[in-house]
Amino acid sequence: MGENCKTIPKLPIPGKRNILITSALPYVNNVPHLGNIIGCVLSADVFARYCRLRGYNAIYMCGTDEYGTATETKALEENCTPKQICDKYHAIHKEVYKWFDISFDEFGRTSTPQQTEVCQAIFKNLFENNWLSENTMQQLYCDTCKKFLADRLVEGNCPTPGCNYDSARGDQCEKCGKLLNPTELMEPKCKVCHNTPCIRDTDHLFLELPLLKDRLEAYVNNMSVAGGWSQNAIYTTHAWLREGLKPRCITRDLKWGVPVPHEKYKDKVFYVWFDAPIGYVSITSCYTTEWEKWWKNPDDVELYQFMGKDNVPFHTVIFPSTLLGTGENWTLMKTISVTEYLNYEAGKFSKSKGIGVFGNDAKDTNIPVEVWRYYLLTNRPEASDTLFTWADLQAKLNSELLSNLGNFVNRVLSFIAKDSASGYGSIIPDVEGAESHPLTKALGEKVGNYVEQYIEAMEKVKLKQGLKVAMSISGEGNGYLQESQFWKLYKEDRRSCSIVMRTACGLVYLLACLLEPFMPPFSHEVLKQLNLPPETQLSLADEKGDVANSKRPWNIIPAGHKIGTPAPLFKELKDEEVEFYREKFAGSQSDRADRALKAETDAKKMAEQLNKTKISDGNKKKERAKKSSETKSKAPATVEGEVSISRLDIRVGLITKAQKHPNADSLYVEEIDVGEALPRTVVSGLVNFIPLEDMQNRKVCVLCNLKPVSMRGIKSLAMVLAASNSDHTKVELVEPPKDAAIGERVTFPGFDGKPDDVLNNKKKVWETVQLDLHTNMELVACYKDLPFTTSSGICKVASISEGSIG
């Protein structure tokens, strides 16, 4: 990320196109979700990468927005200081964006000395130029805490008739949704000490937007056209102007923020929405001491800003008014790119409720980052809200990335890599006359037109359109291969085949180039398979003739070049995986985290307990059972519909009789006592792994709520659980302790829900949970990291470590 660029900061170069890119500073008090990522940092990253591809001199500035009420409130919740909250979440944000391959030139933060310096300098200019006024406001004050209370530090009864919600916040009632002022609350209470606050007068400073209206309107009317502002930005801005600008309060009665450099207001700080956009400037000043060459240089620098629609007025009205009011020659925003909302499955992403996929969740799925980037960008909500669904992600991965793009690249490189008897021995063929090959010449013209359309879309920040055009070239490539029937040409017309393959290989490189802003890992892997050195800089610069050369793809890769080793670029996403992820990420992130933490804690306690207690000690057996029962009673209830181990009815069983299946050589038929009136008949495919004599009179773990199934004429009413090694050449039974009670349910610390009567085949509950069943290095049978547990101890296998259980 930004650290790699700190040694030699880029500065504007006279005569070149210098582009300064920012994305709305993500607020620091939570983990960013996919809606945040596509709305701000990912969109800006794609444009920054495109600018570099074109040879422009571009820098991308971003960082965490750290001051204000929400940070103070979060610090109170987590019983720490605002600085500690900011340090914690800044690191989380940084890690998420690093995984998403966001190429910041600087990723900073607003709680820095540079922020204070720049913010206070702008304030002093505004004050000296008489663009600020003073006014008195009424605000709730807590005598116990000795401070004015920010909106979110007050709770009380909602004043809305018929609502009567008794925990309404000072800014909004969560029950009825009405926006409130803290002084409107009935029976208000301080959230910190729970005492009743009083109303006091407090003086504040205001930015006189009405006095700046003429200058602001001239800027908006000019730049919204020249910069091609997105329609949602234009609409929102003009709505503010039509309603009439009002003085805007720029100070707050808080401690956590940039101090106001004025004797009368020395106990106040700047309002976060006054100082947050100034963060772009201060973060640039952390990047280079010569930051003014970027920010006070409107003749040589173009400023592009990316954000979600809720941030628009702060960037098109308040921030430019602030800069205009200083009287200095600031680089004002040229182009603003605004996204609508990305919604999740059936509802909205919610930071407060933790609904949806968050940045760290994406990493945990093992779906590659290039797939996440591609899906979010094809689904970018440019003109209206869009919807994230797992089924749609699956469809786009399998049909567009795997079957279209990945298939094209792999077909081309795999054929070239074949030995000289059936391919080209990995060497790009040397042939002339591509311009006179009708199919190839037509392809070159189409591709050249597509590249021009790509550039036109990207220059206008139509990122979704740019991606669509690039993928169309892959489709053209597949069509070209099919129409040419290169596999026949190899035998019947080697010269034409060579033209087709060299041209197709040029298209592979061109696709890596066009798609680098969208999927950098994909492009890097393609370069590796083309055997181009890692330092190869993909380029689409006019001065290098790259755009013109795209019309002659047969000239892109030189003849005689030896390619690397082809390999599949994408992996199919299967139905059972999609169902697993949909269930896994349903509900609240915080609930998931709580469950995981609780399960981890309980597992550690259980492991410690079991290590201290010898299973053969009969006196301590009852104590273990009691403690296990206590642990289970404290465990969180399972969320309705959640796919987890608690849905399974796994019991300790005793095989009372085992014999070979009369109609199948590889199957046993067992009679197993699982604590019911009659033993259950179970059919198992264990003949080739476990001798018949070893199946007699032994305790096993039995999954009892699978749907009964007939196996070669005998109905199996359960499943015996066994572990297998990686190549399935060895299988061993999962064994409960010798003293475990027959019929006892096997438990897992932290998961204590009631099992389903019968597992739903359509929901693939068993298949989903089974992915997390395994043995560890100590031969303990586990669900994730939790041991199969009975009141007598844990369940193990004889010798298979890190095996799968099924």
Side-chain angles (χ1 to χ4, degrees):
M1 287 170 53
E3 291 85 350
N4 299 327
C5 310
K6 284 182 179 178
T7 48
I8 308 174
K10 289 179 273 187
L11 295 174
I13 301 169
K16 283 204 79 168
R17 192 167 174 202
N18 303 296
I19 298 180
L20 172 58
I21 300 162
T22 73
S23 57
L25 306 183
Y27 203 71
V28 79
N29 71 334
N30 214 319
V31 181
H33 59 65
L34 297 184
N36 305 136
I37 290 165
I38 185 58
C40 301
V41 296
L42 179 55
S43 295
D45 179 62
V46 172
F47 187 69
R49 288 177 179 276
Y50 165 75
C51 288
R52 297 177 195 126
L53 196 66
R54 293 279 287 145
Y56 305 152
N57 184 39
I59 63 170
Y60 175 18
M61 299 287 113
C62 191
T64 42
D65 176 11
E66 302 194 349
Y67 285 137
T69 308
T71 303
E72 282 198 358
T73 307
K74 190 77 171 177
L76 283 170
E77 287 175 9
E78 298 198 13
N79 196 29
C80 62
T81 66
K83 175 72 165 59
Q84 287 170 326
I85 282 288
C86 292
D87 290 346
K88 171 186 173 180
Y89 283 102
H90 175 80
I92 290 171
H93 275 260
K94 198 168 184 176
E95 192 60 33
V96 167
Y97 303 138
K98 181 180 179 182
W99 186 80
F100 268 94
D101 245 328
I102 308 297
S103 60
F104 306 113
D105 289 275
E106 182 79 18
F107 184 75
R109 51 202 305 188
T110 57
S111 60
T112 61
Q114 290 90 337
Q115 174 76 355
T116 299
E117 183 182 342
V118 176
C119 201
Q120 290 183 344
I122 287 173
F123 165 77
K124 286 173 182 175
N125 279 334
L126 290 170
F127 192 82
E128 289 166 6
N129 293 341
N130 296 316
W131 298 117
L132 301 178
S133 62
E134 299 180 73
N135 208 339
T136 302
M137 300 170 63
Q138 287 192 322
Q139 198 168 332
L140 291 174
Y141 182 86
C142 180
D143 284 311
T144 307
C145 297
K146 302 296 181 190
K147 66 178 182 180
F148 284 99
L149 299 179
D151 301 350
R152 296 191 180 195
L153 291 181
V154 188
E155 279 188 352
N157 295 340
C158 178
T160 308
C163 178
N164 300 321
Y165 185 52
D166 62 2
S167 298
R169 291 198 318 250
D171 58 349
Q172 188 175 20
C173 174
E174 286 192 339
K175 182 179 178 184
C176 69
K178 183 176 174 58
L179 296 176
L180 302 169
N181 289 315
T183 51
E184 294 178 285
L185 288 174
M186 313 289 286
E187 299 181 33
K189 301 288 182 188
C190 170
K191 279 188 71 173
V192 180
C193 67
H194 306 294
N195 289 327
T196 302
C198 58
I199 295 176
R200 278 196 188 181
D201 288 345
T202 176
D203 293 335
H204 283 285
L205 288 164
F206 290 74
L207 177 63
E208 282 292 341
L209 291 176
L211 300 180
L212 290 159
K213 182 171 183 266
D214 291 344
R215 296 185 187 197
L216 178 67
E217 283 191 332
Y219 158 73
V220 169
N221 291 336
N222 172 45
M223 202 60 84
S224 61
V225 176
W229 291 9
S230 51
Q231 284 303 309
N232 41 14
I234 293 172
Y235 175 81
T236 302
T237 305
H238 283 294
W240 266 57
L241 292 171
R242 275 195 311 272
E243 289 171 11
L245 297 177
K246 299 175 181 64
R248 185 85 181 181
C249 185
I250 65 166
T251 54
R252 284 290 186 271
D253 288 296
L254 296 171
K255 297 296 182 189
W256 183 243
V258 174
V260 179
H262 187 291
E263 184 61 28
K264 182 178 176 181
Y265 298 97
K266 63 182 180 181
D267 292 331
K268 300 181 192 294
V269 298
F270 288 114
Y271 175 38
V272 68
W273 264 118
F274 174 76
D275 89 270
I278 296 171
Y280 303 130
V281 183
S282 75
I283 289 167
T284 311
S285 78
C286 294
Y287 171 69
T288 171
T289 55
E290 298 181 83
W291 60 271
E292 290 186 347
K293 290 185 176 179
W294 285 105
W295 280 100
K296 294 182 180 179
N297 188 4
D299 294 333
D300 289 335
V301 175
E302 303 167 54
L303 173 58
Y304 282 72
Q305 299 197 289
F306 291 78
M307 69 205 64
K309 62 183 176 183
D310 49 343
N311 290 333
V312 169
F314 301 103
H315 290 79
T316 63
V317 177
I318 296 171
F319 187 42
S321 295
T322 300
L323 299 181
L324 288 166
T326 65
E328 296 180 293
N329 195 28
W330 288 94
T331 303
L332 297 177
M333 177 181 62
K334 176 187 175 184
T335 298
I336 182 171
S337 180
V338 178
T339 53
E340 302 289 314
Y341 293 132
L342 175 70
N343 294 323
Y344 179 76
E345 290 282 344
K348 288 188 175 183
F349 286 89
S350 168
K351 278 187 178 179
S352 60
K353 297 176 183 176
I355 293 172
V357 179
F358 285 67
N360 48 353
D361 293 334
K363 183 178 180 181
D364 292 343
T365 61
N366 294 321
I367 296 171
V369 65
E370 59 268 34
V371 176
W372 283 108
R373 285 179 62 115
Y374 178 81
Y375 179 68
L376 290 172
L377 288 158
T378 58
N379 217 10
R380 185 174 184 248
E382 292 180 352
S384 60
D385 292 356
T386 57
L387 189 64
F388 172 98
T389 70
W390 286 101
D392 190 33
L393 183 146
Q394 179 191 26
K396 284 185 166 62
L397 167 54
N398 292 349
S399 63
E400 296 173 17
L401 291 179
L402 181 63
S403 301
N404 175 359
L405 179 63
N407 178 56
F408 171 70
V409 174
N410 198 250
R411 284 180 81 188
V412 173
L413 299 186
S414 295
F415 191 79
I416 293 172
K418 286 183 178 180
D419 60 43
S420 52
S422 53
Y424 291 91
S426 297
I427 305 297
I428 302 297
D430 185 6
V431 289
E432 300 293 333
E435 293 89 342
S436 59
H437 187 260
L439 189 62
T440 301
K441 185 180 179 183
L443 175 74
E445 289 173 359
K446 279 183 186 176
V447 169
N449 289 334
Y450 273 129
V451 171
E452 288 173 4
Q453 291 173 34
Y454 171 89
I455 290 170
E456 182 183 4
M458 297 298 283
E459 290 290 337
K460 293 178 179 177
V461 202
K462 303 292 185 185
L463 306 183
K464 193 152 62 171
Q465 179 63 18
L467 179 54
K468 184 178 179 182
V469 171
M471 291 296 288
S472 296
I473 293 176
S474 174
E476 289 291 344
N478 276 314
Y480 173 66
L481 292 181
Q482 284 303 110
E483 196 170 347
S484 70
Q485 296 190 311
F486 65 93
W487 57 93
K488 287 186 178 179
L489 290 179
Y490 186 80
K491 297 176 181 177
E492 299 168 5
D493 184 352
R494 184 71 60 86
R495 177 180 165 276
S496 292
C497 184
S498 297
I499 289 172
V500 168
M501 295 319 294
R502 186 174 172 187
T503 300
C505 199
L507 274 195
V508 168
Y509 173 88
L510 185 60
L511 282 166
C513 181
L514 298 176
L515 290 169
E516 193 277 339
F518 302 94
M519 295 186 289
F522 160 81
S523 298
H524 297 158
E525 178 59 26
V526 170
L527 287 181
K528 181 182 171 186
Q529 293 188 23
L530 284 170
N531 193 29
L532 294 171
E535 61 272 17
T536 298
Q537 294 294 312
L538 292 160
S539 174
L540 197 64
D542 288 328
E543 58 265 31
K544 294 183 180 179
D546 297 326
V547 178
N549 208 32
S550 67
K551 295 183 179 180
R552 298 181 295 279
W554 50 86
N555 285 338
I556 292 176
I557 305 290
H561 174 76
K562 185 173 184 178
I563 68 167
T565 305
L569 291 157
F570 299 101
K571 181 184 173 186
E572 181 185 10
L573 189 59
K574 297 179 179 176
D575 290 346
E576 54 268 29
E577 293 174 285
V578 169
E579 190 60 35
F580 173 70
Y581 293 137
R582 184 184 287 115
E583 294 282 353
K584 180 177 180 181
F585 297 118
S588 148
Q589 185 197 37
S590 57
D591 285 349
R592 292 198 302 269
D594 289 345
R595 284 199 302 275
L597 183 62
K598 174 69 175 170
E600 183 181 346
T601 304
D602 285 348
K604 286 178 181 176
K605 286 180 181 176
M606 180 64 72
E608 290 169 4
Q609 172 195 331
L610 292 169
N611 285 336
K612 291 175 182 175
T613 309
K614 293 182 180 179
I615 292 170
S616 59
D617 189 340
N619 292 329
K620 294 187 179 180
K621 195 190 309 178
K622 292 180 181 178
E623 183 183 340
R624 279 197 302 273
K626 180 183 175 184
K627 288 188 178 179
S628 175
S629 174
E630 288 173 355
T631 302
K632 286 187 285 180
S633 68
K634 295 175 185 175
T638 303
V639 176
E640 182 68 30
E642 178 196 9
V643 175
S644 76
I645 193 71
S646 61
R647 302 275 292 274
L648 273 56
D649 183 6
I650 302 175
R651 299 186 215 166
V652 174
L654 176 69
I655 300 175
T656 56
K657 179 182 178 183
Q659 59 187 23
K660 285 192 174 181
H661 195 296
N663 302 318
D665 292 339
S666 63
L667 300 179
Y668 285 132
V669 179
E670 305 108 26
E671 299 294 322
I672 303 180
D673 181 357
V674 291
E676 297 171 338
L678 296 172
R680 293 202 187 196
T681 300
V682 180
V683 180
S684 306
L686 298 171
V687 169
N688 297 325
F689 304 102
I690 301 174
L692 182 59
E693 58 269 24
D694 290 348
M695 292 291 292
Q696 309 296 334
N697 198 35
R698 66 183 296 177
K699 285 184 179 174
V700 287
C701 289
V702 184
L703 177 59
C704 293
N705 60 341
L706 277 178
K707 186 177 180 181
V709 58
S710 288
M711 300 177 74
R712 294 291 184 94
I714 295 177
K715 185 172 282 189
S716 181
L717 303 177
M719 175 194 288
V720 174
L721 295 183
S724 60
N725 60 0
S726 57
D727 59 3
H728 301 289
T729 57
K730 189 176 182 181
V731 175
E732 295 175 348
L733 293 171
V734 175
E735 295 187 81
K738 289 181 180 178
D739 295 332
I742 295 169
E744 176 185 357
R745 189 179 175 198
V746 177
T747 60
F748 301 83
F751 291 89
D752 194 35
K754 185 181 178 183
D756 294 3
D757 291 334
V758 179
L759 296 177
N760 190 325
N761 274 350
K762 291 183 179 178
K763 295 286 185 182
K764 298 186 182 294
V765 177
W766 159 243
E767 292 82 354
T768 301
V769 174
Q770 196 264 330
L771 294 171
D772 287 316
L773 299 180
H774 64 97
T775 59
N776 65 16
M777 293 295 290
E778 287 73 42
L779 308 180
V780 176
C782 296
Y783 167 66
K784 297 184 177 178
D785 295 324
L786 307 175
F788 281 51
T789 305
T790 72
S791 60
S792 295
I794 55 179
C795 306
K796 302 184 75 171
V797 295
S799 66
I800 298 174
S801 63
E802 297 185 319
S804 58
I805 294 175

